[in-house]
Each structure stands twice: as C-alpha cells, then as structure tokens.
Coordinates of all heavy atoms in Angstrom, one line a residue:
M828 N 26.7 -24.8 -39.4 CA 26.9 -24.0 -38.2 C 28.1 -24.5 -37.5 O 28.4 -25.7 -37.5 CB 25.7 -24.0 -37.3 CG 24.5 -23.2 -37.8 SD 23.4 -23.0 -36.4 CE 22.2 -21.9 -37.3
N829 N 28.7 -23.7 -36.7 CA 29.8 -24.2 -35.9 C 29.4 -24.6 -34.5 O 28.2 -24.4 -34.1 CB 30.9 -23.1 -35.8 CG 30.4 -21.8 -35.1 OD1 29.5 -21.8 -34.3 ND2 31.0 -20.7 -35.5
K830 N 30.2 -25.2 -33.9 CA 29.9 -25.8 -32.5 C 29.5 -24.7 -31.5 O 28.6 -24.9 -30.7 CB 31.0 -26.7 -32.0 CG 31.2 -27.9 -32.7 CD 32.3 -28.8 -32.1 CE 32.5 -30.1 -32.9 NZ 33.5 -30.9 -32.3
R831 N 30.2 -23.6 -31.6 CA 29.9 -22.5 -30.6 C 28.4 -22.0 -30.8 O 27.7 -21.8 -29.8 CB 30.9 -21.4 -30.8 CG 30.7 -20.3 -29.8 CD 31.8 -19.2 -30.0 NE 33.0 -19.8 -29.5 CZ 33.7 -19.4 -28.5 NH1 33.3 -18.4 -27.8 NH2 34.9 -20.0 -28.1
S832 N 28.0 -21.8 -32.0 CA 26.6 -21.3 -32.2 C 25.6 -22.4 -31.9 O 24.5 -22.1 -31.4 CB 26.5 -20.8 -33.6 OG 26.6 -21.8 -34.6
D833 N 25.9 -23.6 -32.1 CA 25.1 -24.7 -31.8 C 24.9 -24.8 -30.3 O 23.8 -25.0 -29.8 CB 25.6 -26.1 -32.3 CG 25.4 -26.2 -33.8 OD1 24.7 -25.4 -34.4 OD2 26.1 -27.1 -34.4
L834 N 26.0 -24.6 -29.6 CA 26.0 -24.6 -28.1 C 25.2 -23.5 -27.6 O 24.4 -23.6 -26.6 CB 27.4 -24.6 -27.6 CG 27.5 -24.8 -26.0 CD1 26.9 -26.0 -25.5 CD2 29.0 -24.7 -25.6
A835 N 25.4 -22.3 -28.2 CA 24.6 -21.1 -27.7 C 23.1 -21.3 -27.9 O 22.3 -20.9 -27.1 CB 25.1 -19.9 -28.5
M836 N 22.8 -21.9 -29.1 CA 21.3 -22.1 -29.3 C 20.8 -23.2 -28.4 O 19.7 -23.0 -27.9 CB 21.2 -22.6 -30.8 CG 21.3 -21.5 -31.8 SD 21.2 -22.0 -33.5 CE 19.5 -22.7 -33.5
A837 N 21.5 -24.2 -28.0 CA 21.1 -25.2 -27.1 C 20.9 -24.6 -25.7 O 19.9 -24.8 -25.0 CB 22.1 -26.4 -27.0
N838 N 21.9 -23.7 -25.3 CA 21.8 -23.0 -24.0 C 20.5 -22.1 -24.0 O 19.9 -22.1 -23.0 CB 23.0 -22.2 -23.8 CG 23.1 -21.7 -22.4 OD1 22.7 -22.3 -21.5 ND2 23.7 -20.5 -22.3
E839 N 20.3 -21.4 -25.1 CA 19.1 -20.6 -25.1 C 17.8 -21.4 -25.0 O 16.9 -21.0 -24.3 CB 19.1 -19.8 -26.5 CG 18.1 -18.7 -26.5 CD 18.2 -17.9 -27.8 OE1 19.3 -17.4 -28.0 OE2 17.2 -17.7 -28.5
D840 N 17.8 -22.5 -25.7 CA 16.6 -23.4 -25.5 C 16.4 -23.8 -24.1 O 15.3 -23.9 -23.6 CB 16.8 -24.6 -26.4 CG 16.7 -24.3 -27.9 OD1 16.2 -23.2 -28.3 OD2 17.1 -25.1 -28.7
V841 N 17.5 -24.2 -23.4 CA 17.4 -24.6 -22.0 C 16.8 -23.5 -21.2 O 16.0 -23.6 -20.3 CB 18.7 -25.1 -21.5 CG1 18.7 -25.3 -20.0 CG2 19.1 -26.4 -22.2
L842 N 17.3 -22.3 -21.4 CA 16.9 -21.1 -20.7 C 15.4 -20.8 -20.9 O 14.7 -20.5 -20.0 CB 17.7 -19.9 -21.0 CG 19.1 -19.8 -20.5 CD1 19.9 -18.6 -21.1 CD2 19.2 -19.8 -19.0
R843 N 15.0 -21.0 -22.1 CA 13.5 -20.8 -22.4 C 12.6 -21.8 -21.7 O 11.6 -21.4 -21.2 CB 13.3 -20.9 -23.9 CG 13.9 -19.7 -24.6 CD 13.5 -19.7 -26.1 NE 14.2 -18.7 -26.9 CZ 14.0 -17.4 -26.9 NH1 13.1 -16.9 -26.1 NH2 14.7 -16.5 -27.6
V844 N 13.1 -23.0 -21.6 CA 12.3 -24.1 -20.9 C 12.3 -23.7 -19.4 O 11.3 -23.8 -18.8 CB 12.9 -25.5 -21.2 CG1 12.3 -26.5 -20.2 CG2 12.7 -25.9 -22.6
E845 N 13.5 -23.4 -18.9 CA 13.5 -23.0 -17.4 C 12.6 -21.8 -17.2 O 11.9 -21.8 -16.2 CB 15.0 -22.7 -17.0 CG 15.9 -23.9 -16.8 CD 17.2 -23.5 -16.4 OE1 17.6 -22.3 -16.5 OE2 18.0 -24.3 -15.9
L846 N 12.6 -20.9 -18.1 CA 11.8 -19.7 -17.9 C 10.3 -20.0 -17.8 O 9.6 -19.5 -17.0 CB 12.1 -18.7 -19.0 CG 11.3 -17.4 -19.1 CD1 11.6 -16.6 -17.8 CD2 11.6 -16.6 -20.3
E847 N 9.9 -20.9 -18.7 CA 8.5 -21.3 -18.7 C 8.1 -22.1 -17.4 O 7.1 -21.9 -16.9 CB 8.2 -22.2 -19.9 CG 6.7 -22.5 -20.1 CD 5.8 -21.3 -20.1 OE1 6.1 -20.3 -20.7 OE2 4.7 -21.4 -19.5
V848 N 9.0 -23.0 -17.0 CA 8.8 -23.7 -15.7 C 8.7 -22.7 -14.5 O 7.8 -22.8 -13.7 CB 9.9 -24.7 -15.5 CG1 9.9 -25.3 -14.1 CG2 9.9 -25.8 -16.5
F849 N 9.6 -21.8 -14.5 CA 9.6 -20.8 -13.4 C 8.3 -19.9 -13.4 O 7.7 -19.6 -12.4 CB 10.8 -19.9 -13.3 CG 12.1 -20.6 -13.0 CD1 13.3 -20.2 -13.5 CD2 12.1 -21.8 -12.1 CE1 14.5 -20.9 -13.2 CE2 13.2 -22.4 -11.8 CZ 14.4 -22.0 -12.3
R850 N 7.9 -19.5 -14.6 CA 6.7 -18.8 -14.7 C 5.5 -19.6 -14.2 O 4.6 -19.0 -13.6 CB 6.5 -18.3 -16.2 CG 7.4 -17.2 -16.6 CD 7.1 -16.8 -18.0 NE 7.9 -15.6 -18.4 CZ 8.2 -15.3 -19.6 NH1 7.8 -16.0 -20.6 NH2 8.9 -14.2 -19.9
R851 N 5.4 -20.8 -14.6 CA 4.3 -21.7 -14.2 C 4.3 -21.9 -12.7 O 3.2 -21.8 -12.0 CB 4.4 -23.1 -14.9 CG 3.2 -23.9 -14.7 CD 3.2 -25.2 -15.5 NE 3.8 -25.1 -16.8 CZ 4.9 -25.8 -17.2 NH1 5.5 -26.6 -16.4 NH2 5.3 -25.6 -18.5
E852 N 5.5 -22.1 -12.1 CA 5.6 -22.2 -10.7 C 5.1 -20.9 -10.0 O 4.5 -21.0 -9.0 CB 7.0 -22.6 -10.2 CG 7.4 -24.0 -10.6 CD 8.9 -24.3 -10.2 OE1 9.4 -23.6 -9.4 OE2 9.4 -25.3 -10.7
H853 N 5.5 -19.8 -10.5 CA 5.2 -18.5 -10.0 C 3.7 -18.3 -10.0 O 3.0 -17.9 -9.0 CB 5.8 -17.4 -10.8 CG 5.7 -16.0 -10.2 ND1 4.7 -15.2 -10.6 CD2 6.4 -15.3 -9.3 CE1 4.8 -14.1 -9.9 NE2 5.9 -14.1 -9.2
R854 N 3.0 -18.7 -11.1 CA 1.5 -18.6 -11.2 C 0.9 -19.5 -10.2 O -0.1 -19.2 -9.6 CB 1.1 -19.0 -12.6 CG 0.6 -17.9 -13.5 CD 0.0 -18.4 -14.8 NE 0.6 -19.6 -15.4 CZ 1.6 -19.7 -16.3 NH1 2.2 -18.6 -16.7 NH2 2.0 -20.9 -16.7
D855 N 1.4 -20.8 -10.1 CA 0.8 -21.7 -9.1 C 0.9 -21.2 -7.7 O 0.0 -21.4 -6.9 CB 1.5 -23.1 -9.3 CG 1.2 -23.8 -10.6 OD1 0.3 -23.4 -11.3 OD2 2.0 -24.8 -10.9
L856 N 2.0 -20.6 -7.4 CA 2.2 -20.1 -6.0 C 1.3 -19.0 -5.8 O 0.6 -18.8 -4.7 CB 3.7 -19.6 -5.8 CG 4.7 -20.7 -5.3 CD1 6.1 -20.1 -5.3 CD2 4.3 -21.2 -4.0
D857 N 1.1 -18.1 -6.8 CA 0.1 -17.0 -6.7 C -1.3 -17.5 -6.4 O -2.0 -17.0 -5.5 CB 0.2 -16.1 -7.9 CG -0.5 -14.8 -7.8 OD1 -0.4 -14.2 -6.7 OD2 -1.2 -14.4 -8.7
E858 N -1.7 -18.5 -7.2 CA -3.0 -19.1 -7.0 C -3.2 -19.8 -5.6 O -4.2 -19.6 -5.0 CB -3.3 -20.1 -8.1 CG -3.5 -19.5 -9.4 CD -3.6 -20.4 -10.6 OE1 -3.6 -21.7 -10.3 OE2 -3.6 -20.0 -11.7
A859 N -2.1 -20.4 -5.2 CA -2.1 -21.1 -3.8 C -2.3 -20.0 -2.7 O -3.1 -20.2 -1.8 CB -0.9 -22.0 -3.6
I860 N -1.5 -19.0 -2.8 CA -1.6 -17.9 -1.8 C -2.9 -17.3 -1.8 O -3.5 -17.1 -0.7 CB -0.5 -16.8 -2.1 CG1 0.9 -17.4 -1.9 CG2 -0.7 -15.6 -1.2 CD1 2.1 -16.5 -2.4
Q861 N -3.5 -17.0 -3.0 CA -4.8 -16.5 -3.0 C -5.9 -17.3 -2.4 O -6.7 -16.9 -1.6 CB -5.2 -16.2 -4.5 CG -5.2 -14.8 -4.9 CD -5.7 -14.6 -6.3 OE1 -5.4 -15.4 -7.2 NE2 -6.5 -13.6 -6.6
A862 N -5.8 -18.6 -2.7 CA -6.7 -19.6 -2.1 C -6.6 -19.7 -0.6 O -7.6 -19.7 0.1 CB -6.5 -21.0 -2.7
L863 N -5.4 -19.7 -0.1 CA -5.2 -19.8 1.3 C -5.7 -18.5 2.0 O -6.3 -18.6 3.1 CB -3.7 -20.0 1.7 CG -3.2 -21.3 1.3 CD1 -1.6 -21.3 1.5 CD2 -3.8 -22.4 2.2
E864 N -5.5 -17.3 1.4 CA -5.9 -16.1 2.0 C -7.5 -16.0 2.0 O -8.1 -15.5 2.9 CB -5.3 -14.9 1.3 CG -3.8 -14.7 1.6 CD -3.2 -13.6 0.8 OE1 -3.7 -13.2 -0.3 OE2 -2.2 -13.1 1.3
E865 N -8.1 -16.5 0.9 CA -9.5 -16.5 0.8 C -10.2 -17.4 1.8 O -11.2 -17.0 2.4 CB -10.0 -16.8 -0.6 CG -9.7 -15.8 -1.6 CD -10.1 -16.2 -3.0 OE1 -10.6 -17.3 -3.2 OE2 -9.8 -15.4 -4.0
K866 N -9.6 -18.6 2.0 CA -10.2 -19.5 3.0 C -9.9 -19.1 4.4 O -10.7 -19.4 5.3 CB -9.6 -20.9 2.8 CG -10.1 -21.6 1.5 CD -9.5 -23.0 1.4 CE -10.1 -23.7 0.2 NZ -9.5 -25.1 0.1
G867 N -8.8 -18.5 4.6 CA -8.4 -18.0 6.0 C -7.9 -19.2 6.9 O -7.9 -19.1 8.1
T868 N -7.6 -20.3 6.2 CA -7.2 -21.5 7.0 C -5.7 -21.6 7.2 O -5.2 -22.3 8.1 CB -7.6 -22.8 6.2 OG1 -7.0 -22.8 4.9 CG2 -9.1 -22.9 6.1
A869 N -4.9 -20.8 6.5 CA -3.4 -20.9 6.6 C -2.9 -19.9 7.6 O -3.5 -18.8 7.8 CB -2.8 -20.7 5.3
D870 N -1.9 -20.2 8.3 CA -1.3 -19.3 9.3 C -0.4 -18.3 8.5 O 0.0 -18.5 7.3 CB -0.5 -20.0 10.3 CG 0.7 -20.8 9.7 OD1 0.4 -21.7 8.8 OD2 1.8 -20.7 10.2
A871 N -0.1 -17.2 9.1 CA 0.6 -16.1 8.5 C 2.0 -16.5 8.1 O 2.5 -16.1 7.0 CB 0.7 -14.9 9.4
L872 N 2.6 -17.4 8.8 CA 4.0 -17.9 8.5 C 4.0 -18.7 7.2 O 4.9 -18.5 6.3 CB 4.5 -18.8 9.6 CG 5.9 -19.3 9.5 CD1 6.9 -18.1 9.3 CD2 6.3 -20.2 10.6
T873 N 3.0 -19.5 7.0 CA 2.9 -20.3 5.7 C 2.8 -19.4 4.5 O 3.5 -19.5 3.5 CB 1.8 -21.3 5.8 OG1 1.9 -22.2 6.9 CG2 1.6 -22.1 4.5
I874 N 1.9 -18.4 4.7 CA 1.7 -17.4 3.6 C 2.9 -16.6 3.3 O 3.3 -16.4 2.2 CB 0.5 -16.5 3.9 CG1 -0.8 -17.4 3.8 CG2 0.4 -15.4 2.9 CD1 -2.1 -16.7 4.3
R875 N 3.6 -16.2 4.4 CA 4.9 -15.5 4.2 C 5.9 -16.3 3.5 O 6.6 -15.8 2.6 CB 5.4 -15.0 5.6 CG 6.3 -13.9 5.5 CD 6.7 -13.3 6.9 NE 5.6 -13.5 7.9 CZ 5.9 -13.8 9.2 NH1 7.1 -13.8 9.6 NH2 4.9 -13.9 10.0
R876 N 6.0 -17.6 3.8 CA 7.0 -18.4 3.2 C 6.7 -18.6 1.7 O 7.6 -18.6 0.8 CB 7.1 -19.8 3.9 CG 7.8 -19.8 5.2 CD 7.8 -21.1 5.8 NE 8.5 -21.1 7.1 CZ 8.4 -22.0 8.0 NH1 7.6 -23.0 7.9 NH2 9.1 -21.8 9.2
L877 N 5.4 -18.8 1.4 CA 5.0 -18.9 0.0 C 5.3 -17.6 -0.8 O 5.8 -17.7 -1.9 CB 3.5 -19.3 -0.1 CG 3.1 -20.7 0.4 CD1 1.6 -20.8 0.3 CD2 3.8 -21.8 -0.4
K878 N 5.0 -16.5 -0.2 CA 5.3 -15.2 -0.8 C 6.8 -15.0 -1.1 O 7.2 -14.5 -2.1 CB 4.8 -14.1 0.0 CG 3.3 -14.0 -0.1 CD 2.7 -12.8 0.6 CE 1.2 -12.6 0.5 NZ 0.7 -11.4 1.2
K879 N 7.6 -15.5 -0.1 CA 9.1 -15.4 -0.3 C 9.5 -16.3 -1.5 O 10.4 -15.9 -2.3 CB 9.8 -15.8 1.0 CG 11.3 -15.6 0.9 CD 11.9 -15.8 2.3 CE 13.4 -15.4 2.1 NZ 14.1 -15.3 3.4
Q880 N 9.0 -17.5 -1.5 CA 9.3 -18.4 -2.7 C 8.9 -17.8 -4.0 O 9.7 -17.9 -5.0 CB 8.6 -19.7 -2.5 CG 9.1 -20.7 -1.5 CD 8.3 -21.9 -1.4 OE1 7.2 -22.0 -2.0 NE2 8.8 -22.9 -0.6
K881 N 7.8 -17.1 -4.0 CA 7.3 -16.4 -5.2 C 8.3 -15.3 -5.6 O 8.6 -15.1 -6.8 CB 5.9 -15.8 -4.9 CG 5.2 -15.3 -6.1 CD 3.8 -14.9 -5.8 CE 3.3 -13.9 -6.7 NZ 2.1 -13.2 -6.3
L882 N 8.8 -14.6 -4.7 CA 9.8 -13.5 -4.9 C 11.1 -14.1 -5.5 O 11.7 -13.5 -6.4 CB 10.1 -12.7 -3.7 CG 9.0 -11.7 -3.3 CD1 9.3 -11.0 -2.0 CD2 8.8 -10.6 -4.4
V883 N 11.5 -15.2 -4.9 CA 12.7 -15.9 -5.4 C 12.5 -16.3 -6.9 O 13.4 -16.1 -7.7 CB 13.1 -17.1 -4.6 CG1 14.2 -17.9 -5.2 CG2 13.5 -16.6 -3.2
L884 N 11.3 -16.8 -7.2 CA 11.1 -17.2 -8.6 C 11.0 -16.0 -9.5 O 11.5 -16.0 -10.6 CB 9.7 -17.9 -8.6 CG 9.7 -19.4 -8.2 CD1 8.3 -19.9 -8.1 CD2 10.6 -20.2 -9.1
K885 N 10.5 -14.9 -9.0 CA 10.4 -13.7 -9.8 C 11.9 -13.2 -10.1 O 12.1 -12.8 -11.3 CB 9.7 -12.6 -9.0 CG 9.5 -11.3 -9.8 CD 8.7 -10.3 -9.1 CE 8.5 -9.0 -9.9 NZ 7.8 -8.0 -9.1
D886 N 12.8 -13.3 -9.2 CA 14.2 -12.9 -9.4 C 14.8 -13.8 -10.5 O 15.5 -13.4 -11.4 CB 15.0 -12.9 -8.1 CG 14.6 -11.8 -7.2 OD1 14.0 -10.8 -7.6 OD2 14.9 -12.0 -6.0
K887 N 14.5 -15.1 -10.4 CA 15.1 -16.1 -11.3 C 14.5 -15.8 -12.7 O 15.3 -15.8 -13.7 CB 14.8 -17.5 -10.9 CG 15.6 -18.0 -9.7 CD 15.1 -19.4 -9.4 CE 15.9 -19.9 -8.2 NZ 15.5 -21.3 -7.8
I888 N 13.2 -15.5 -12.8 CA 12.6 -15.2 -14.1 C 13.3 -13.9 -14.7 O 13.6 -13.9 -15.9 CB 11.1 -14.9 -13.9 CG1 10.4 -16.3 -13.6 CG2 10.5 -14.3 -15.1 CD1 9.0 -16.2 -13.1
S889 N 13.5 -12.9 -13.9 CA 14.1 -11.7 -14.4 C 15.5 -11.9 -14.9 O 15.9 -11.4 -15.9 CB 14.2 -10.6 -13.3 OG 12.9 -10.2 -12.9
L890 N 16.3 -12.7 -14.2 CA 17.7 -13.1 -14.6 C 17.7 -13.8 -15.9 O 18.5 -13.4 -16.8 CB 18.4 -13.9 -13.5 CG 18.8 -13.2 -12.2 CD1 19.3 -14.2 -11.2 CD2 19.8 -12.1 -12.5
I891 N 16.8 -14.7 -16.1 CA 16.8 -15.5 -17.4 C 16.3 -14.6 -18.5 O 16.9 -14.6 -19.6 CB 15.8 -16.7 -17.2 CG1 16.5 -17.7 -16.3 CG2 15.6 -17.3 -18.6 CD1 15.6 -18.9 -16.0
E892 N 15.3 -13.7 -18.2 CA 14.8 -12.8 -19.3 C 15.9 -11.9 -19.7 O 16.1 -11.6 -20.9 CB 13.6 -12.0 -18.8 CG 12.4 -12.8 -18.7 CD 11.2 -12.1 -18.1 OE1 11.4 -11.1 -17.3 OE2 10.0 -12.5 -18.3
D893 N 16.7 -11.4 -18.7 CA 17.9 -10.5 -19.1 C 18.9 -11.2 -19.9 O 19.5 -10.6 -20.8 CB 18.5 -10.0 -17.8 CG 17.7 -8.9 -17.1 OD1 16.7 -8.4 -17.7 OD2 18.0 -8.7 -15.9
R894 N 19.1 -12.5 -19.7 CA 20.1 -13.3 -20.5 C 19.5 -13.5 -21.9 O 20.3 -13.5 -22.8 CB 20.4 -14.6 -19.8 CG 21.3 -14.4 -18.6 CD 21.7 -15.7 -17.9 NE 22.5 -16.5 -18.8 CZ 22.9 -17.7 -18.5 NH1 22.5 -18.3 -17.4 NH2 23.7 -18.4 -19.3
L895 N 18.3 -13.7 -22.0 CA 17.7 -14.0 -23.3 C 17.5 -12.7 -24.1 O 17.6 -12.8 -25.4 CB 16.3 -14.7 -23.2 CG 16.4 -16.2 -22.7 CD1 15.0 -16.7 -22.4 CD2 17.1 -17.0 -23.7
L896 N 17.2 -11.6 -23.5 CA 16.9 -10.4 -24.2 C 17.9 -9.3 -23.7 O 17.7 -8.5 -22.8 CB 15.5 -9.9 -23.8 CG 14.4 -10.8 -24.2 CD1 13.1 -10.3 -23.6 CD2 14.3 -11.1 -25.7
P897 N 19.1 -9.4 -24.3 CA 20.2 -8.4 -23.9 C 19.7 -7.0 -24.2 O 18.9 -6.7 -25.1 CB 21.4 -8.8 -24.7 CG 20.8 -9.6 -25.9 CD 19.5 -10.2 -25.4
D898 N 20.3 -6.0 -23.4 CA 20.0 -4.6 -23.7 C 20.5 -4.2 -25.0 O 21.6 -4.6 -25.5 CB 20.7 -3.8 -22.6 CG 20.1 -4.0 -21.2 OD1 18.9 -4.4 -21.1 OD2 20.8 -3.8 -20.2
I899 N 19.7 -3.4 -25.6 CA 20.1 -2.8 -26.9 C 20.6 -1.4 -26.7 O 19.8 -0.5 -26.2 CB 18.9 -2.8 -27.9 CG1 18.5 -4.3 -28.2 CG2 19.3 -2.1 -29.2 CD1 17.2 -4.4 -29.0
I900 N 21.8 -1.1 -27.1 CA 22.3 0.3 -26.9 C 21.9 1.1 -28.1 O 22.2 0.7 -29.3 CB 23.9 0.2 -26.8 CG1 24.2 -0.6 -25.6 CG2 24.4 1.6 -26.7 CD1 25.7 -0.8 -25.4
A901 N 21.2 2.1 -27.9 CA 20.6 3.0 -28.9 C 21.7 4.0 -29.4 O 22.5 4.4 -28.7 CB 19.4 3.7 -28.5

C-alpha cells in the first residue's frame, strides 16, 4: 500500500474511535439527565446545560458519520 492510503486508513480508524467515544458520552449524558429529572433534585439550568452538551455531541457524531459514510450518488 502507498502512504496516502495508509494515512487515510489511520485517519478512518481515529474517526471510528472518536465516534464510539462521543456515542458513549451521549448515552451517559442521556442517562444522567434522566436520573436528574426522575429525582427532581437538579435545577433547570443544570439540566438545560446537560441537554445542550448532548446536542453538541449529537452534532459531532453526525459530522463524523458523514465523513465515514460518504453519500452515494445513484
């Protein structure tokens, strides 16, 4: 293989690892938000901040998925 394809494969591997980390963080935030809402102990500002972090992670996940799975023109 040439260096360009090796680099592309390495980059893809890094993206896949980042994707998994972001997905895990997204899940953890979802569980934390649910737990706080069920207990009723957290203030609205804290929950709003956690939901915003979750949305940021969702955007990052979407960007990485788009890079890994390019559109196929039919």
Side-chain angles (χ1 to χ4, degrees):
M828 287 198 176
N829 61 28
K830 290 183 180 183
R831 183 174 291 245
S832 65
D833 289 344
L834 184 59
M836 287 177 60
N838 188 35
E839 188 173 309
D840 291 340
V841 169
L842 287 175
R843 290 187 192 283
V844 169
E845 285 181 343
L846 181 61
E847 186 55 38
V848 169
F849 291 151
R850 284 180 175 160
R851 190 175 320 120
E852 287 178 19
H853 188 269
R854 252 188 330 267
D855 292 345
L856 276 174
D857 192 40
E858 290 172 5
I860 291 167
Q861 255 184 317
L863 289 172
E864 288 177 335
E865 287 174 4
K866 287 183 179 180
T868 56
D870 60 308
L872 182 61
T873 301
I874 291 175
R875 202 171 333 141
R876 285 179 179 163
L877 291 174
K878 286 182 178 183
K879 187 171 183 168
Q880 287 178 348
K881 191 175 153 190
L882 285 173
V883 168
L884 284 171
K885 186 177 178 182
D886 289 342
K887 288 180 181 181
I888 289 168
S889 293
L890 287 173
I891 292 174
E892 287 174 339
D893 288 346
R894 287 181 67 187
L895 289 173
L896 304 171
D898 291 336
I899 298 174
I900 300 172

